[in-house]
Amino acid sequence: MNNNTCRDSSLSNTSNHECFPSTESTFRIYRTMFKVQLFLLLAFMFTFSPARGANVVVTTDDTTISGYTHMLVPNQHGKILPIWTYSQSYPSGYQCMQFIAFYNSTTGAIYYIQTQDTQGRLIDWSVVNENNVYKLRLTFYTMNGQNPGIVKDTSMTAANFTDFYKQVARKYKAWAVNQFWAKRKKSALDEAGTIAVVSDIDPNGTSLNNQVIPYLEKWNGAKTASWSSSWRRFNFDTKYPDYLFPNNGYSRSQGMALLNSYNSLPILYVNGCLWDENSTSSALVNPSNPEAVYDIADMVKDSSGSTCSYPGISNLKYACQGRSRWQTVIKDAWDYQKTAGSAGIYYDMAANQKPLLCYDATHSHDAGDPLVWQNGVRSIMQYITNSGGIIISEGCAEIYIDQVDAFLTYLDTDMVDSDNYKLVPLFREVYGEVARETGWMVLPNGQSISNLTPSIFKDAALKAANFGSLSYSSPFFIGYGSSMAIQDKLVQDSTYASCLGMLTPAICKQIYERGMGAGLWVKSGSGTGTVVNVVDTETGAAAVSFNSSSTGYYLTMADSLRFDLTWDMKMTGSYYVDVYVKASDNNYYFLVYDNHARNWRSRDGSYVKVGLGTDTTGGTWRTIHRDLDADLQSGCPGLTVTKVQQIIVFASGLMDDIALSLDPQIYEDGVSASDWTAYGSGLTATAATDSETGSSVINLTGVTDRSGGKYFQKSISDNQRFDLVWDMKTSMSYYLDVVVSDTDGNWYYLVYDNHARDWRQTSGNYVKIGLGADTSDGSWRTFRRNLADDLYYGTGKNIGSVINFVFFASGSLDNIALYGNGTRSSGR
């Protein structure tokens, strides 16, 4: 349930949500509204001061932030806004992380302000204007008066808005990566091709049979999910919660069985916070359960003793999340859903609603305890997770990441960017390794379904992927009452066939370790060791740090589809990386990779051993790319891999981006140099056997200066695959240009060179990316780049095709391959 009513020109607002204009005239209206909101907030804070004897301590901290032009707020996906009055509460979808950053667009100066509350307590974040002086005001609620630490940093500068949000995200990530919530849970949604919108679960109804099933049929039996958006939803029924199973009209069990027959996982609605005081029937959830009845004693009481109501709907009351009776109702609702065939719940509002302080002296918690709400929600989520349930929750408060399978983050995604107001993928930048998101408003704000075109649909889908949304942003929304309309277009209107095709490619790549997955690794031996999440100072990306040379840690993969393996590692000593596979003879084998020479192979029973190079222990990043079938056959001729079961690491160092892919399109295998064109005199391209690897490679010679205008070029011409892998060895500074076009046909040059790994620069149609200063040391290295991501982050453009591969240097190249079927690296 979303408590925002501002979806059109009425510009209405609530205390929990703001809308963002795209014109200056609208901005003036909003500024006035925010001043009114600020006055109400201050009045609320005054009356909200704890009653005598209450345990909570309320303190504030003010920071003057005048002199800055814009602010970056962690509101839903993330927004860059002009400096103005702002008021939101953490943790919620509207202040989902613990910082705000300010930016001077003229000087490039950044003022970064962050709290460091490792427990996730309530903190109010407000930008106030006092006598034309802007201040950031933090209001803390603690039980002992000891506030969390505050970081105030003015050392950063940025060249533009993109640089601004990326630098801020990197700084916050270095702290956030080690918090208890920064863990990626396994989820069935990782294998779901789409998430269908189901407005009614009636097995005989027109919604399920005429809208949902035809949509699911487009997936040809592949696994999908079906999200029921309005089992109980405001505008349909104000009675919360009402989880009668089954009701008098039809059997939801039969409806879910129908969805399951199409290999679709039903995920049904449960209200996360509210109860209707008019709903006193005992026929809720379990008619024999006397706890399933509204009781005012279970509701949140403010410091004056009043029961807290949902804004604008007085009969809807907030239940105290710490009350066992409320938790029993929600857990019972899930138990009944699961028994009836549901795979999970849409736990409405839970990760979006700010925590409410409850002062009811009869409850079993301290009055005003700022963690009661959060711990209650997490307790319910943990119960569902422990029983195997999928959780989709509206909003994206960070403290629930480890419990939620996908955050429903559609709010404000219809925002139209302007020079001053921008929606940015801030949440993905910080938590893309661990959090999944779904949902996107296809139509820009103010437009209706009659304005929809295939072009608008594709733009929205690509933007959603850029922001990390699952399944190219499904489910698609245009409004609360018509969420099915766009889904219908995909099935019923032939002009949208290409759009549907864009949503249905095979999942060619599955990432099993994104860099924040320490909690998923399991110790396999009796020795000592540790696995923790870190942010690598060289790349700015999250990684998993192993100190486990004497024992192994394994990660379950269980993949029977993809047998092409890549991973990134930075090892500081000898290591073993074992891949445990099942073969076509139904036996299991270990593919053992270590720091032997690259042409070293050995077999010892079920252990097939492969050398990755003696130089892979030098404490520098390496991307490893292995064809598991080929490696198995090097020791066991005639066998093929049928399943990848586990990867096991014995090492001291970092690992990241462990992924399995389907077979790629090979553009260079080192056998023939005839399709390399040399531009400049004295250049030669020849095929030869490399003495170090024993493989056929292309040797390119004659370039002595990468800036001298001489180069080698190979045509690619691929408009389906955008994930590039190549092997390279060079002893000089180089430029490797990948020429691409955007969806409008404009050409761009993705320029990779031996700058530092975190170096980025965009100049016109040149997007420059550092691969590492050590990559010109004459050693073989594998590189993997998502060209679509690199183009988008450098220009904001969506990729259309890969045109040429251009090398400004002398060196050796091999195994140039492109993966994918037109997909982006979205939130999987």
Side-chain angles (χ1 to χ4, degrees), residues 232 239 241-248 275 279-294 336:
R232 281 300 173 207
K239 292 181 173 58
D242 181 357
Y243 307 125
L244 185 62
F245 230 116
N247 68 9
N248 294 329
W275 209 320
S279 184
T280 57
S281 168
S282 61
L284 295 173
V285 185
N286 182 350
S288 63
N289 180 3
E291 294 185 341
V293 181
Y294 173 82
Y336 269 71

Side-chain angles (χ1 to χ4, degrees), residues 743-763:
T743 49
D744 294 323
N746 301 307
W747 282 30
Y748 290 88
Y749 298 84
L750 302 179
V751 182
Y752 302 99
D753 73 358
N754 53 308
H755 270 89
R757 285 180 172 83
D758 61 351
W759 183 79
R760 300 289 185 274
Q761 186 181 93
T762 298
S763 177

Side-chain angles (χ1 to χ4, degrees), residues 734-788:
Y734 59 88
Y735 293 125
L736 194 151
D737 294 6
V738 182
V739 185
V740 301
S741 69
D742 67 11
T743 49
D744 294 323
N746 301 307
W747 282 30
Y748 290 88
Y749 298 84
L750 302 179
V751 182
Y752 302 99
D753 73 358
N754 53 308
H755 270 89
R757 285 180 172 83
D758 61 351
W759 183 79
R760 300 289 185 274
Q761 186 181 93
T762 298
S763 177
N765 60 344
Y766 289 85
V767 178
K768 304 174 185 179
I769 299 164
L771 298 180
D774 56 298
T775 58
S776 56
D777 65 356
S779 297
W780 276 107
R781 280 176 172 77
T782 297
F783 301 90
R784 185 164 190 165
R785 302 298 311 183
N786 186 290
L787 305 179

Side-chain angles (χ1 to χ4, degrees), residues 380-451:
I380 294 169
M381 288 181 172
Q382 188 69 64
Y383 180 84
I384 297 166
T385 297
N386 287 347
S387 61
I390 297 169
I391 299 176
I392 294 178
S393 184
E394 183 183 48
C396 54
E398 65 183 358
I399 66 166
Y400 305 117
I401 287 174
D402 59 319
Q403 298 295 325
V404 173
D405 292 79
F407 290 118
L408 186 58
T409 50
Y410 64 95
L411 294 175
D412 295 326
T413 56
D414 59 344
M415 176 179 166
V416 179
D417 288 348
S418 68
D419 290 340
N420 283 320
Y421 308 90
K422 295 185 182 297
L423 191 71
V424 295
L426 176 66
F427 192 75
R428 179 192 182 183
E429 198 76 15
V430 176
Y431 287 121
E433 289 95 342
V434 289
R436 303 172 189 84
E437 302 173 81
T438 190
W440 199 265
M441 300 283 281
V442 172
L443 287 160
N445 186 34
Q447 294 192 12
S448 68
I449 188 68
S450 62
N451 301 115

Side-chain angles (χ1 to χ4, degrees), residues 170-231:
R170 177 172 178 174
K171 186 171 183 67
Y172 185 73
K173 186 175 188 175
W175 175 80
V177 70
N178 289 312
Q179 306 314 309
F180 73 83
W181 55 78
K183 298 176 183 177
R184 184 174 179 91
K185 63 180 294 190
K186 294 182 179 179
S187 176
L189 293 184
D190 285 331
E191 296 292 343
T194 189
I195 303 176
V197 181
V198 182
S199 63
D200 197 334
I201 207 77
D202 183 352
N204 301 310
T206 56
S207 171
L208 201 58
N209 288 283
N210 296 348
Q211 295 179 308
V212 180
I213 299 304
Y215 183 71
L216 296 179
E217 286 177 332
K218 297 295 182 179
W219 265 257
N220 297 317
K223 181 180 288 185
T224 65
S226 294
W227 174 83
S228 181
S229 60
S230 53
W231 182 358

Side-chain angles (χ1 to χ4, degrees), residues 330-356:
I330 303 300
K331 292 172 182 178
D332 271 4
W334 160 242
D335 287 341
Y336 269 71
Q337 284 192 14
K338 183 179 180 182
T339 300
S342 180
I345 72 170
Y346 164 35
Y347 191 12
D348 191 18
M349 299 178 67
N352 206 47
Q353 172 65 42
K354 71 176 185 180
L356 300 183

